[in-house]
Amino acid sequence: MKQIADFTLVGKECYGTSVLLRLRDEQPLPEIVPGQFVQVRVDDSPSTYLRRPISIHDVDVANHEISLLVQMVGEGTRHLGAANVGDQLNLVLPLGNGYTLPTKGERVLLVGGGIGIAPLYYLAKTMALKGVKPTFLLGGKKAADLVRVDAYSSIGETLITTEDGSLGEKGMVTMHSVWQQRQFDKIYVCGPKRMMMAVADIARANNVWCEVSLEHMMACGLGACLCCVEDTVEGNLCVCKEGPVFNTRRLKW
Amino acid sequence: MKQIADFTLVGKECYGTSVLLRLRDEQPLPEIVPGQFVQVRVDDSPSTYLRRPISIHDVDVANHEISLLVQMVGEGTRHLGAANVGDQLNLVLPLGNGYTLPTKGERVLLVGGGIGIAPLYYLAKTMALKGVKPTFLLGGKKAADLVRVDAYSSIGETLITTEDGSLGEKGMVTMHSVWQQRQFDKIYVCGPKRMMMAVADIARANNVWCEVSLEHMMACGLGACLCCVEDTVEGNLCVCKEGPVFNTRRLKW
Amino acid sequence: MTIDLGRGLVLRNPVMTASGTFGYGEEYTDFVDLAQLGGIIVKGTTLNPRQGNPYPRMAETPSGMLNCVGLQNKGVPYFINTIYPRIKDFDTNVLLNLSGSTLEDYVRGAEMINTLDKIPAIELNVSCPNVKQGGMAFGVTCAGITQVVSEVRKVYHKHLMVKLSPNVTNIAEIALAAEAAGADSVSLINTLMGMAIDAERRQPKLSMVTGGLSGACVKPVALRMVWQVAKAVKIPVVGLGGISNATDAVEFMLAGASAIEIGTANFIDPAISAKVADGMRDYCERHGFQKVSELIGALEG
Amino acid sequence: MTIDLGRGLVLRNPVMTASGTFGYGEEYTDFVDLAQLGGIIVKGTTLNPRQGNPYPRMAETPSGMLNCVGLQNKGVPYFINTIYPRIKDFDTNVLLNLSGSTLEDYVRGAEMINTLDKIPAIELNVSCPNVKQGGMAFGVTCAGITQVVSEVRKVYHKHLMVKLSPNVTNIAEIALAAEAAGADSVSLINTLMGMAIDAERRQPKLSMVTGGLSGACVKPVALRMVWQVAKAVKIPVVGLGGISNATDAVEFMLAGASAIEIGTANFIDPAISAKVADGMRDYCERHGFQKVSELIGALEG
Ligand SMILES: Cc1cc2nc3c(=O)[nH]c(=O)nc-3n(C[C@H](O)[C@H](O)[C@H](O)COP(=O)(O)OP(=O)(O)OC[C@H]3O[C@@H](n4cnc5c(N)ncnc54)[C@H](O)[C@@H]3O)c2cc1C
Ligand SMILES: Cc1cc2nc3c(=O)[nH]c(=O)nc-3n(C[C@H](O)[C@H](O)[C@H](O)COP(=O)(O)OP(=O)(O)OC[C@H]3O[C@@H](n4cnc5c(N)ncnc54)[C@H](O)[C@@H]3O)c2cc1C
Ligand SMILES: Cc1cc2nc3c(=O)[nH]c(=O)nc-3n(C[C@H](O)[C@H](O)[C@H](O)COP(=O)(O)O)c2cc1C
Ligand SMILES: Cc1cc2nc3c(=O)[nH]c(=O)nc-3n(C[C@H](O)[C@H](O)[C@H](O)COP(=O)(O)O)c2cc1C
Ligand code: FES
Ligand code: FES
């Protein structure tokens, strides 16, 4: 069941233009599956009228905590990044459909670009609990774009590309040598659209199952306004409700 | 010369629903006369679009500091009241025409109601420097409405009325016994319009010179938009430019 | 808190939710008990299915948003067969917002809706600015509105509410035409036509270049139009446009509205509609009004 | 950064200040070197003096404000005798915003202004919503605008800019009428008619009940209208309505404006007009435009 709740910011870590927000609710959390997101109300920001959709980066059921990994790209995310420990943030959650979890024994690759790495963390943790060991392939423009690499590495092997070669292999994620060397059963992707389309192309070429998480602009986040549609093989579907995760078979790309 | 400047909040004292803000500029202050005001930009308040006019409560030329005494009545003033030491506030100042100073030997009464006491402080300090010892008559609904009474008392005799009798004489400022007992050469007033009109009536009845400071709603504060007019004997005059201080002879009340 | 809008449309309280902003109500049942509302107005529906416009369909603006959804919906028959059975037993009034591109579509659609027991009213959308043939042509001239309302009136025998476009020179004139043609009530405003540009990319932010402006920013315009229309017509006026809290809702009632709708504000606080109903009750108590209907047009001075 | 609006009106850069928001320029010289601006448009002036409307004349709204100043001014003769000598040597274009209640007033006023060497243009205000006879009647119909523009054109031989009201169904039609009647340019938008209510006191916030809405909130509507008008007419379009920074200004140019005006934003930052001019220059450099005029209508897609 979806809810609106005031969370308290109990922890904050800054990574350049990104920030990790640890938020605690008084009440127990609703059930959250990897890939779902929250709609955050941005208070005290005159130029931010609507809520902002942010993926759920991590969940700590025992402590009623969720984490968000936010990249400060505009006024709204900058205001979120400026929140102080002790501040309250109003969230609507959990929203959307999550990723389809793999079954034991499947070889999975989690591909993240830029801030798109955010939902992959909770996804990987959940898989690991089910006994599936994920491999991460994370890409950024430069080393500084890749945040929390240690945290990812502690869950699974973590491969990296940077466009300037400052970390891992030089180039885009799609150019990483892993594609030549290994086979995967399931590929999970989140990142800039162009990158997701490129990964989807590889998956399709190799006939591999692939789910991507779309980041369309949203108003309601509930499937009510029909603003966030993706033109799929089934027609215009709301990313907030039918997604944000889609199997690439359903998409026109 | 008027200027726009970022001031730093260097001190803050809270008095119930009012707050004293001590603001410092890097640069020397422009010349400020008692009764002038500033237009404060209220940042990070989505429901506050325009600047807010606030009287200059005190001036400390040596330290480039001014003080504002702000009563939190709505979103804008509440946001100002929530500012923290170290925050920046953007001000346009000094605006409007100030009070006419008395000449030595004149007996002056400074009548303030509610937050209207704000500009009287700097006015009184300036008079005191010129050797005029002012008498304050300050009124409020209840004792808690009267803030910084000690500060006022240190400059001049301070008479008080409260409507509930919790401090000083019970009743309105116009009912204070001082009106029966003493004569004044000049009366300076700032407070709610109804109270200023009542004082103006007494002054007129006794043929005493009287200046009041009006608090009309403002947009520009510069005499450009013509929003803040008072219907005077000279026609509609801008309170922000021709005032906020007016001799009651010029007003229609 | 009851409001009787006439011809069988009686609201438990003046608060309804605006078409296109509340889905089919189902999207909000986790947040609002629909029994706390006077009614819900479901997504704009056309006779035939429509895919709507391409993404991007929305852009944020100062204190508001633009949308060019373009009436994406599965058509009246699908509504009747699939959606209606799911929502017909909601414990509130369920109104259908009917749009069209031709007179025939409006009439055919209304005829079909007329058969649905649990739909007490149609809100006739003659004012959608987001589709070439979205009825806006009907909504901006007296002749257009007279034609569509009187034709629909012939086939639709329940409460007919006509939703007016604010993109006109004289809204009172249009409202009078709707009244004369047989409308039981008018609701206003639909969105103001606007536009947003991404200066860095030098491109429109919306796929259709222009879109409909809604949210707090339009409230002053909406309030003015409601006031003008309420002075002009005798039928009830339903006010909307930027209502974000109970105070806003009261303002619309004072300006002459008999009921109100909440649109964009649902996106910011999915529970806002119920809160507004509560807040209006509080206002009435605080100001000594026995019935919420006493607020209608109670502006002084 | 030069912009030539035709018939002798050449701006140093596209930035002007909007009538009624910048006084006579004198109020802002502590904050802005007027030589940094393309022009200033002084307070709306009528043939005869006007006291304007009673206080309160303004109310704040979400991301904007309402005003009902009502053209308070001392009349054209006083302007000519007393104000003009003080401001005529400003190092920028000084335009007079001329309002009227009758055709004769417009014509008489324009005739008198025509004699002033240092006023290169009139901005004809046929769109003030705040006075019963504020010219809005002229501004909302093609017939009205044709009449007033063609009559003024006969007596006024410099640049005639016509300021359009947004309170119309079809702004392009009105702009075409102004063009056909001899306007050298059109500026838009004037304020949208709005209203605000104090729910606690149950009274209108403005003395005249309704007033003109301006500020950031109106930008989407203004941008849309500028785009529609620029596509329709051949004369230059001057865009305004909610411009608060250089990005906003660029958006209006991309939508088709040849120059822009800054209104309400002057109240929030008295130095904004010069900052916008600087910011537009930066934008052009950053995006490789040699001349600011290359931005005009350069919207892609
Ligand atoms: C389901 C979902 C999950 C997301 N998860 C995360 C996350 O975990 N961490 C994170 O940092 N961000 C995430 N995002 C993106 C985030 O919502 C946007 O960055 C944010 O809304 C921008 O708000 P702003 O006010 O800072 O920027 P704005 O000032 O609104 O915009 C800044 C710039 O970004 C563009 N922009 C804004 N929103 C989007 C968007 N949704 N898609 C494409 N361009 C956009 C604008 O056009 C503008 O150019 C997610 C988005 C979705 C839909
Ligand atoms: C020259 C001048 C000097 C002032 N000096 C001081 C001062 O030293 N200290 C201080 O606390 N306040 C002072 N004020 C008043 C102050 O400007 C207002 O209280 C403030 O603008 C309210 O802003 P807000 O956003 O908090 O309230 P809002 O949300 O804007 O309004 C809250 C309520 O107050 C009413 N209101 C707002 N402004 C005014 C006004 N100017 N006149 C009458 N009613 C109003 C509104 O209608 C509303 O009912 C002064 C005003 C002027 C014009
Ligand atoms: C995303 C969105 C979709 C809308 N769809 C419809 C619609 O289908 N039919 C209709 O009559 N109005 C539609 N509207 C207009 C609203 O019902 C309402 O008239 C308008 O948004 C003004 O109210 P508000 O400011 O409270 O949102 C839509 C508005 C939005 C924001
Ligand atoms: C206080 C005020 C007074 C105005 N007076 C005039 C006027 O005298 N003549 C005129 O043509 N427009 C007048 N306007 C309208 C502005 O010039 C401008 O068209 C409008 O405010 C929209 O621009 P903005 O959003 O940048 O303010 C006035 C606007 C304001 C806010
Ligand atoms: S954001 Fe409203 S339907 Fe997806
Ligand atoms: S506030 Fe603009 S003239 Fe006084």
Side-chain angles (χ1 to χ4, degrees), chain A residues 37 39 216-229 238-241, chain C residues 58 267:
Chain A
F37 66 98
Q39 279 267 67
H216 283 32
M217 278 178 288
M218 293 181 178
C220 71
L222 301 169
C225 73
L226 311 186
C227 284
C228 64
V229 291
C238 291
V239 170
C240 67
K241 196 179 171 191
Chain C
M58 77 101 180
F267 305 158

Side-chain angles (χ1 to χ4, degrees), chain A residues 1-157:
Chain A
M1 180 157 155
K2 302 185 193 85
Q3 50 185 245
I4 313 172
D6 281 322
F7 280 67
T8 306
L9 183 62
V10 293
K12 181 175 169 182
E13 288 165 36
C14 298
Y15 308 96
T17 59
S18 299
V19 55
L20 179 77
L21 303 175
R22 209 149 47 77
L23 298 160
R24 185 179 298 158
D25 194 358
E26 293 283 296
Q27 309 300 317
L29 297 173
E31 206 198 310
I32 296 171
V33 300
Q36 286 188 308
F37 66 98
V38 302
Q39 279 267 67
V40 195
R41 198 179 67 208
V42 185
D43 295 329
D44 292 346
S45 169
S47 60
T48 310
Y49 184 64
L50 299 164
R51 287 176 182 261
R52 293 293 188 262
I54 302 289
S55 302
I56 296 169
H57 174 65
D58 197 7
V59 177
D60 176 347
V61 175
N63 291 309
H64 309 178
E65 283 179 18
I66 65 164
S67 294
L68 306 178
L69 188 60
V70 179
Q71 186 170 27
M72 294 176 269
V73 298
E75 279 303 309
T77 47
R78 263 196 291 274
H79 259 81
L80 294 179
N84 296 311
V85 168
D87 287 356
Q88 303 259 311
L89 285 186
N90 186 276
L91 309 185
V92 180
L93 83 169
L95 300 174
N97 291 318
Y99 289 102
T100 310
L101 292 178
T103 48
K104 208 162 167 162
E106 283 185 309
R107 296 158 303 171
V108 304
L109 182 68
L110 276 55
V111 188
I115 201 65
I117 67 169
L120 303 182
Y121 187 73
Y122 181 49
L123 172 62
K125 264 179 65 172
T126 309
M127 289 178 181
L129 278 179
K130 290 188 65 176
V132 176
K133 202 133 179 79
T135 300
F136 291 105
L137 171 55
L138 309 180
K141 286 222 169 59
K142 50 189 190 308
D145 292 346
L146 289 153
V147 300
R148 304 201 79 218
V149 172
D150 289 353
Y152 285 83
S153 307
S154 73
I155 308 178
E157 180 191 7

Side-chain angles (χ1 to χ4, degrees), chain B residues 14-19 70-73 77 115 142 144-145 147:
Chain B
C14 298
Y15 307 97
T17 60
S18 298
V19 55
V70 179
Q71 186 170 25
M72 294 176 269
V73 298
T77 48
I115 201 64
K142 50 188 192 307
D145 292 345
V147 300

Side-chain angles (χ1 to χ4, degrees), chain B residues 124-232:
Chain B
K125 265 181 62 173
T126 309
M127 289 178 180
L129 279 178
K130 290 189 62 177
V132 176
K133 201 134 180 79
T135 300
F136 291 106
L137 172 55
L138 309 181
K141 285 222 169 60
K142 50 188 192 307
D145 292 345
L146 289 153
V147 300
R148 305 204 78 218
V149 173
D150 289 353
Y152 286 82
S153 306
S154 74
I155 308 179
E157 181 191 5
T158 302
L159 311 171
I160 287 180
T161 63
T162 50
E163 289 177 35
D164 68 355
S166 53
L167 197 70
E169 294 187 14
K170 186 178 159 105
M172 315 281 189
V173 283
T174 43
M175 293 151 71
H176 196 278
S177 54
V178 72
W179 297 109
Q180 317 307 328
Q181 294 157 0
R182 290 201 237 160
Q183 302 286 324
F184 297 95
D185 301 307
K186 286 200 154 84
I187 300 177
Y188 300 88
V189 200
C190 185
K193 184 155 183 184
R194 183 174 300 223
M195 174 269 221
M196 290 198 287
M197 293 176 102
V199 175
D201 283 343
I202 301 184
R204 193 173 294 112
N206 295 301
N207 220 345
V208 181
W209 183 102
C210 178
E211 277 185 354
V212 298
S213 180
L214 302 184
E215 294 202 346
H216 283 31
M217 278 178 289
M218 294 183 176
C220 71
L222 302 169
C225 73
L226 311 186
C227 284
C228 64
V229 290
E230 171 72 14
D231 179 19
T232 73

